[in-house]
Amino acid sequence: MNFSLSKGQFFLLLFFIETGFIYISFQTPLISESRNMAWVLFIVAAIWHYFLLIFFERYYRYFYLNTFFQWVYKIYWFLMLASFIAYMEFVLASWVLPQTPEWIVIFFIVALSLYANLSRPETVINIGVMLIPLIFIFIIFLMLAVPDLTWTNLFPLDFTIKKEIIQGFIHSAFAFMGAEMFLIFRPFLQKELTLKGKPIFIYQLVIFVFYLISVLFSQMFFTIEEIKLVPEPIIYILKSQEVTFVKRLDIFFVYIWLSWSIVTVMIVNFTFRVIHFVKERNVLSYKLLFIMFC
C-alpha cells in the first residue's frame, strides 16, 4: 500500500486509536479497583506509556509481522472491534436511541467504515481532522463541573494494598490500548521526518492531560461507592451541567463520542488493509511483537 504520513497525521491516527472507544468508560473500573490511588497510578501508567513509545521509536525498524502473527493480530483487532461496536450500541441504546433496533446501529457503523476504507487511504487518514474542534469543545464544557468537584476525594493515599496497586495499573494501561499501532504506521512516516525527543513528548503530554482530566474529574465528582454504579462517569458529569443552548449536554456529547469512535473503527479497519498489503521487509527479528502484545 502506497501512502505517506506527516507527523500530524501519524499522531492523529494514534490519538484516535488510543482514545476513541475507551475514553468515557475506563475511569469506573480504574477508580473502583484502586480507589483514591487511581490518579497516581494513572500518572505512573502514562510515564510507562511514554517510555514505551520511545522504545518503539528506537527499534521499530526491527519489527516484522510474519504470516502467523499477522493473523494473530487480525483476530485480536477483530475481537476488539466486535467488543467495542457492541459497547457503542449499548451506550446509544442507554442514552439516546433506546427504541432503535441493534442491527440498524451496527449496520450504520460498519457501512460508514467500509465506505471510508474503499476510498483512498487519505480519506481515513484525514477524516479525524474534522473532529478536533469538537474534542476541544468536549473538554471546555467538562470544565463547567469544576465548582461541583471535591478535591478531598483524591486522598488519603494508601500504597500498602498490593492488589489495588496492580489492578489500578492494569486498568490505567487500558487507556493506552492500541499503542502497538505505532509500530504498524511508523514505517509510513515521511522518510525525512524524525520522532525523536520533542514530538513524542508533546504527543504524550497532550494525551496525558486529556486522560488525566477525565480521571480527576470522575474521582472528584463521585465518591468511591457512587462511581461503582456509574458506567460512563464523564457523560453523567456532563448531564449534570445546565446550559442554555441545548437541553441536555450529555446527549450532545454522546453523538460527538459516537463520531469519534466511528473514526476509530475506520482506522482499525484501515490497519487490516495495511497489514494485508504490506511488503515483507528484511529485518533482524520480530521479538518486539511479544513485548507489544503482552
Side-chain angles (χ1 to χ4, degrees):
M1 182 174 290
N2 186 22
F3 68 93
S4 62
L5 300 171
S6 66
K7 288 182 182 179
Q9 290 171 327
F10 175 78
F11 284 119
L12 188 64
L13 288 176
L14 198 60
F15 177 84
F16 276 99
I17 289 168
E18 292 193 314
T19 63
F21 298 121
I22 204 168
Y23 182 76
I24 67 171
S25 61
F26 87 100
Q27 298 88 356
T28 293
L30 168 61
I31 299 172
S32 298
E33 293 291 341
S34 55
R35 303 178 70 81
N36 294 16
M37 294 183 293
W39 63 281
V40 177
L41 294 174
F42 177 78
I43 292 174
V44 173
I47 295 172
W48 166 82
H49 178 253
Y50 171 67
F51 284 109
L52 183 67
L53 295 184
I54 294 293
F55 178 78
F56 284 170
E57 170 61 20
R58 183 171 182 178
Y59 295 105
Y60 77 90
R61 294 177 183 84
Y62 307 128
F63 175 74
Y64 167 63
L65 287 174
N66 62 14
T67 302
F68 172 76
F69 284 110
Q70 283 182 16
W71 279 105
V72 169
Y73 262 81
K74 287 177 181 178
I75 293 172
Y76 164 65
W77 288 327
F78 176 80
L79 294 175
M80 182 179 71
L81 279 181
S83 300
F84 284 120
I85 289 176
Y87 177 68
M88 291 164 65
E89 197 285 325
F90 165 76
V91 172
L92 288 175
S94 300
W95 289 90
V96 293
L97 299 173
Q99 304 300 325
T100 304
E102 296 178 0
W103 69 269
I104 293 179
V105 176
I106 295 174
F107 175 79
F108 175 76
I109 295 171
V110 174
L112 281 177
S113 177
L114 289 176
Y115 174 78
N117 277 280
L118 290 175
S119 304
R120 298 172 59 191
E122 289 78 6
T123 302
V124 177
I125 293 171
N126 295 320
I127 196 169
V129 175
M130 298 183 295
L131 293 179
I132 293 177
L134 295 178
I135 293 174
F136 280 108
I137 292 173
F138 189 101
I139 296 298
I140 291 171
F141 280 99
L142 192 59
M143 292 298 172
L144 294 174
V146 169
D148 301 321
L149 302 180
T150 305
W151 67 270
T152 53
N153 288 357
L154 301 177
F155 302 97
L157 300 176
D158 182 4
F159 294 100
T160 61
I161 306 176
K162 293 182 180 179
K163 181 179 179 181
E164 290 185 358
I165 294 175
I166 294 172
Q167 290 296 321
F169 182 81
I170 291 173
H171 286 288
S172 295
F174 285 159
F176 304 107
M177 183 182 297
E180 72 274 6
M181 299 295 188
F182 187 104
L183 295 171
I184 303 299
F185 288 109
R186 179 60 179 85
F188 296 96
L189 194 71
Q190 296 170 13
K191 295 187 181 300
E192 67 275 13
L193 300 179
T194 178
L195 297 182
K196 293 181 180 179
K198 188 176 179 180
I200 293 180
F201 177 78
I202 292 175
Y203 169 75
Q204 179 61 34
L205 184 62
V206 170
I207 197 170
F208 166 69
V209 172
F210 189 64
Y211 266 132
L212 184 64
I213 289 173
S214 73
V215 174
L216 290 176
F217 276 49
S218 299
Q219 198 166 344
M220 290 190 288
F221 193 88
F222 302 98
T223 65
I224 301 297
E225 298 305 319
E226 287 174 340
I227 203 167
K228 292 179 180 180
L229 306 175
V230 182
E232 293 87 32
I234 298 301
I235 302 301
Y236 276 91
I237 292 173
L238 290 170
K239 183 181 179 180
S240 69
Q241 307 309 309
E242 295 183 3
V243 293
T244 57
F245 69 93
V246 64
K247 187 175 181 180
R248 285 187 57 183
L249 196 58
D250 56 311
I251 293 179
F252 177 69
F253 283 103
V254 165
Y255 283 119
I256 293 179
W257 174 80
L258 173 64
S259 303
W260 185 354
S261 296
I262 289 175
V263 170
T264 306
V265 172
M266 293 178 182
I267 295 173
V268 176
N269 282 333
F270 178 63
T271 309
F272 280 92
R273 292 176 60 192
V274 173
I275 291 297
H276 184 73
F277 291 107
V278 70
K279 294 180 180 179
E280 293 190 3
R281 296 178 287 122
N282 293 324
V283 293
L284 297 181
S285 80
Y286 47 86
K287 293 181 180 179
L288 286 177
L289 176 65
F290 295 100
I291 300 174
M292 179 261 290
F293 190 67
C294 294

